[in-house]
Amino acid sequence: MHATESSAATGSAATDTAVAAVERDGVDAIIDQWAVVRPDLETTPMEVFGRVYRTGQAMADRIEKTYRRIGVTRGEFDVIATLRRSGEPYTLSPRQLSSTLMLTSGGMTGRLDRLERAGLLRRSPDPHDRRGLQVTLTPEGLAVVDRAVTAGLEEQRAALTASGLDEAEAAQLAALLRKLLAGVQSA
């Protein structure tokens, strides 16, 4: 065996050992069931997307709880975060918000109503369009969104740490997921 083959074999064995050290999950149980009733299936895609879906759901639940402690829902966070990311003066039209967040005008109106009542944003006439409105983040809204984004990132970082991924592995996973997402969106 050549040195490169030996190191590749060692790397594969190390990977197998690392994977074996991770506790089996609900996706493994599903794959095991399919193996019994349909041993002809190659289930790697099911393993990938099943875990991506479950990971996304678990993190969405954790993030929702984090945002609620700060006083907003995930949907409300999305609105104020979009305004925050737009830069000063943190102002967009309801139409721009709806298209960015892929919401109907009715869905957007409900969120804007709640956020305005909470004092996190204000609606005012658009000075460039007499029929239009503009939505602006208030100073309180700016403070809330900054607290929420920081807390959300801390929650995500804690999940990565708990998973045992180091920084290089997390960066590699992010790159692989970007590649996967591009392929799924183009298919």
Side-chain angles (χ1 to χ4, degrees):
M1 185 180 290
H2 295 292
T4 55
E5 291 172 336
S6 174
S7 65
T10 303
S12 177
T15 301
D16 291 344
T17 302
V19 170
V22 174
E23 194 172 307
R24 290 178 52 83
D25 60 24
V27 175
D28 288 317
I30 292 167
I31 298 307
D32 291 347
Q33 291 169 332
W34 278 116
V36 170
V37 297
R38 287 287 310 273
D40 59 305
L41 294 177
E42 200 293 296
T43 57
T44 300
M46 189 181 296
E47 291 181 67
V48 170
F49 290 103
R51 288 189 177 98
V52 166
Y53 175 79
R54 286 172 182 233
T55 300
Q57 285 298 116
M59 280 312 304
D61 292 345
R62 286 173 70 164
I63 295 294
E64 180 72 30
K65 288 176 187 171
T66 299
Y67 292 161
R68 285 207 180 266
R69 284 193 297 272
I70 293 169
V72 293
T73 66
R74 174 66 190 251
E76 292 164 351
F77 170 82
D78 289 343
V79 172
I80 60 177
T82 300
L83 289 167
R84 176 68 165 104
R85 290 190 320 267
S86 73
E88 288 190 53
Y90 314 118
T91 300
L92 294 170
S93 71
R95 179 171 287 137
Q96 288 171 309
L97 284 166
S98 291
S99 69
T100 299
L101 298 173
M102 297 181 291
L103 282 174
T104 64
S105 61
M108 180 56 64
T109 299
R111 287 185 190 179
L112 294 177
D113 288 345
R114 288 187 302 275
L115 288 164
E116 190 170 38
R117 280 193 303 272
L120 303 182
L121 58 78
R122 71 176 179 284
R123 288 181 273 200
S124 57
D126 185 334
H128 306 292
D129 179 1
R130 290 185 318 162
R131 296 176 297 158
L133 288 175
Q134 58 185 19
V135 179
T136 304
L137 205 55
T138 64
E140 183 180 348
L142 181 62
V144 167
V145 72
D146 282 349
R147 277 196 326 270
V149 73
T150 299
L153 282 168
E154 287 171 2
E155 190 68 35
Q156 292 167 351
R157 190 169 288 106
L160 286 172
T161 300
S163 72
L165 293 175
D166 62 30
E167 286 184 37
E169 290 170 321
Q172 180 183 21
L173 179 58
L176 290 170
L177 289 170
R178 179 184 299 113
K179 187 175 181 179
L180 177 64
L181 179 60
V184 169
Q185 290 177 332
S186 70

